Amino acid sequence: MEAKQIEEDDSAFLNPITQIENGAWSLARVDLPDGVLSNVDLLRLLEIIDSKEREINQMIESRESFRIQHVAGSPEFLVANLLGFRRIIDYPLQDLSNRIEEVLLQITPYVEEKHDH
C-alpha cells in the first residue's frame, strides 16, 4: 500500500483515540439506593465496569504512545500495528458495552424507585 493511499484512506485511523470518561462509579457509590447496596451481584458488576474502563484507557494510552513514537516512520508499519491495537481493544470494548447494557437493565428499577421518593 502506498503511503499516499494510507494517508487518504486511514488518516482518521491515525488520529488519537479519546479515552473513556471514568469516575462515575466513584461518585455513584457514595449515594446508592438501598436495593442496589443489597444486590451483591449488581455491585460486583459495577466494579467490573469501572475496572474495564481503566483497563481500556490504559490500552488507549499505550496505543497513543506507540502512535507518537512511530508517526514519523513507515506508514505501513504504523497502520499495521495500529490495526493490531484496534483488534486488542475491540474485545474489551464490546465486553464493556455488554456489561453496561446488563447494568442498565438491572439498575433502572432502583434508580426510578429512588427518584419516586
Side-chain angles (χ1 to χ4, degrees):
M1 186 177 265
E2 295 291 322
K4 184 175 180 181
Q5 185 179 1
I6 291 171
E7 289 174 12
E8 290 171 1
D9 297 342
D10 296 316
S11 60
F13 181 71
L14 297 175
N15 292 332
I17 299 175
T18 303
Q19 290 191 355
I20 297 171
E21 285 199 37
N22 193 335
W25 172 234
S26 298
L27 294 173
R29 67 180 166 197
V30 172
D31 189 28
L32 290 173
D34 292 338
V36 173
L37 291 172
S38 63
N39 187 333
V40 177
D41 293 334
L42 181 55
L43 287 173
R44 181 69 186 128
L45 191 54
L46 290 167
E47 290 173 348
I48 290 169
I49 287 172
D50 183 63
S51 176
K52 290 277 180 193
E53 288 172 343
R54 284 185 272 121
E55 175 187 336
I56 291 167
N57 280 341
Q58 288 174 345
M59 290 178 186
I60 291 170
E61 283 180 31
S62 178
R63 178 208 183 263
E64 180 63 5
S65 293
F66 178 86
R67 187 187 69 82
I68 289 169
Q69 290 174 357
H70 295 90
V71 75
S74 162
E76 292 85 0
F77 175 79
L78 181 61
V79 169
N81 283 282
L82 290 179
L83 282 170
F85 273 102
R86 180 177 169 181
R87 282 188 222 95
I88 291 168
I89 294 172
D90 277 349
Y91 176 77
L93 279 173
Q94 185 59 51
D95 184 46
L96 176 64
S97 177
N98 293 341
R99 290 176 190 268
I100 289 171
E101 286 180 29
E102 185 179 344
V103 162
L104 289 175
L105 291 172
Q106 291 184 39
I107 206 166
T108 300
Y110 297 115
V111 174
E112 288 172 350
E113 175 184 304
K114 183 172 173 98
H115 287 289
D116 288 342
H117 290 106

